[in-house]
Amino acid sequence: MLDKFGRNIDYLRVSVTDRCNLRCRYCMPPEGVKHLAREQVLSLEEIEKLIRAAVKAGVKRVRLTGGEPLIRRNLVHLVQKVSRLPGLEDLSLTTNGILLAPLAKDLKRAGLNRVNISLDTLMEHKYREITRGGSLAQVLVGLEQAIKYQLTPVKINVVVQRSFNLNEIRDFISLTRNSPIHVRFIELMPIGCGGKLDKEFVSAQEIKDMIGADYDLVHDTLTGGGPADYYRVRGYKGTIGFIGAISDHFCAKCNRLRLSADGKLRFCLQQDRYLDIKEPLRSGASEEELVRIFTQAARNKPASYRQSGWNENENMNAIGG
Ligand code: SAM
Ligand code: SF4
């Protein structure tokens, strides 16, 4: 699908639930957020139908996300159906990793290619603090199982926050020494609860400058690399990447659409504009009509989020990060 600016839109992020088993401080308030009513949430059959239409429209890569996608019952079944769609080249999942260990083998068998695990600290007490109650030990077993069952390349997403984990950057880099783990340092975005944490922001450039002198870094590339800029410490098995969500101007290369758990097809993470695809789906739209809605959504993508500013009013769990 080509948009008005000549970008090829072939990547769809699908939020399978707005719910989560954690409450990361930059994503959700401690008391949680108001959840969608059950009937508003797309069923797995509806999600499958929409992904099928998206692939017909030209989508080649799909990422399942949330909320926390692994709390959605029968997710493995959805993976099984979607992974078989002709034309789909890559099916991946973003997870906090809490429920990954018992599911990794089944997910791989069902056809999932790879996982991204969100992990902001390697210290148990800090993990409990930032996620408001999560267990780091569970995530680390999940990471081990993801590597064991070859949900690879396994990527770890670290949202860098100045007073919280800037002092752990070297520990994360050490993870890449002997394991094929790909750690990506991500800039904190002023979305949802992140909007109140502006003092915690650290730019990708600052991190590069901080570590550049201490490591022999060589440029690298990675499957499904997206907007990250990758390096390898010479001799290490894994890589490190930097995602300058704020400081880099990667809108010109943006190739994605987002489908929320309640069937909103969004053109840009930073805008609250969307096309409702749930209503036509539930009113019996044909596959051709659904394909047309995806194509129209691609055409509606803005050149840049700077056209409209940041969407600070919604939390990432609702948009599907
Ligand atoms: N629950 C899953 C997880 O945490 O991986 C998937 C959904 S979560 C919304 C997707 C990603 O968004 C996570 O890597 C999380 O760290 C990131 N995220 C959430 N709020 C953010 C913010 N304000 N700035 C930067 N990244 C954020
Ligand atoms: Fe849940 Fe992911 Fe948001 Fe953390 S970042 S609260 S794990 S949806």
Side-chain angles (χ1 to χ4, degrees), residues 13 20 26-27 65-69 94-96 116-118 120 157 159 186-191 194 316-317 320-321:
R13 293 177 74 103
C20 188
Y26 49 73
C27 182
T65 180
E68 173 47 41
T94 297
T95 172
N96 59 32
N116 286 8
I117 300 173
S118 304
D120 299 331
N157 289 344
V159 176
I186 298 177
E187 287 178 352
L188 179 68
M189 290 183 270
I191 290 184
M316 200 76 135
N317 70 298

Side-chain angles (χ1 to χ4, degrees), residues 190-192 266 268-272 309-314 319:
I191 290 184
R266 286 173 185 276
C268 171
L269 174 63
Q270 269 61 256
Q271 291 189 337
D272 49 14
W310 284 87
N311 171 18
E312 290 183 21
N313 303 321
E314 281 176 294
I319 307 169

